[in-house]
Amino acid sequence: MNFEEELREKVGGIEKLLRSYLPEEKGCQKTIFEAMNYSVLAGGKRLRPLLMQECCHLFGREGREIGPFMAAIEMIHSSSLVHDDLPAMDADEYRRGRKTTWVVYGEDMAILAGDALMIYAFETAAKAFQKTDRPDLVGECIGILARKTGVYGMIGGQTVDVELTGKPVSEEELDFIYRLKTGALLEASMMIGAVLGGADREQTALVERVASDVGLAFQIQDDILDVTSTREALGKPVGSDEKNEKKTYVTLRGLEAARKQVEDYSKRAEAALGSLPVRNEFLNRLILTLITREK
């Protein structure tokens, strides 16, 4: 089985896993369940649960508790996209080739769906306690998930991003935004996988640094694609950063310098990952594919 076939198989497994943890669309609050499920099942790379799974494999422990965390991280990511697309944020009408949640269900229901997914993610992650003989590891991972999601992680990055929209932004500020807004959930994914896989604290800290560099490279590549790709290829509008007056590495430093940044962060992540005494060739290939993607 080649890499592409293995990737499709693993993503297919993640799709099945996600569906098993999503709420049934019934009852008086059926509409919110429909909006939540529409948001999560919109397709995508399933990058975060995939990285979590592969980091767990990297360190060798079975990690039976990982399923709820894989579903939870994708719910949190989907929640952030629902809110990002809102008229008060990026005002995007398409994502992954179809109408965004607020366009389909209304702005009010989209806000509630984003909120609901965020809370439901932690309810889902807590189900890992029922699957483990290491509740200490599950507790540690819930702490990681909360920290990397909240004001010291993704939401903190989003806050600074919103406040600086349309204003002069330094490279230091942009780096801060990217490390939190994009990098934090990637860090959570890889760290949780490492912890559940049996990594020690030093190894988990190294994985966090790798994920941080991967997150920066991934986001800068996203900036590049926003000015070089098409809506058909990306499944969402291009040029939205310019439309929303957002500074990016491309607008700050130019296209070629941004490409060099992607290369530099990628090499640093690859070198750090290679310093571990264990290897996962699929994980190495996955990271390379993600940060050199064209869509």
Side-chain angles (χ1 to χ4, degrees), residues 39-40 46 73-83 117:
S39 305
V40 174
R46 305 308 186 194
I73 198 76
E74 195 66 8
M75 291 174 190
I76 291 170
H77 175 55
S78 298
S79 167
S80 75
L81 300 183
V82 172
H83 285 166
L117 280 171

Side-chain angles (χ1 to χ4, degrees), residues 157-187:
Q158 289 175 317
T159 300
V160 179
D161 188 29
V162 168
E163 287 184 330
L164 292 179
T165 296
K167 299 177 183 178
V169 178
S170 68
E171 187 169 337
E172 182 181 1
E173 289 169 326
L174 192 61
D175 186 79
F176 178 89
I177 292 168
Y178 284 5
R179 285 190 183 279
L180 271 66
K181 184 178 178 181
T182 301
L185 285 193
L186 293 179
E187 291 166 13

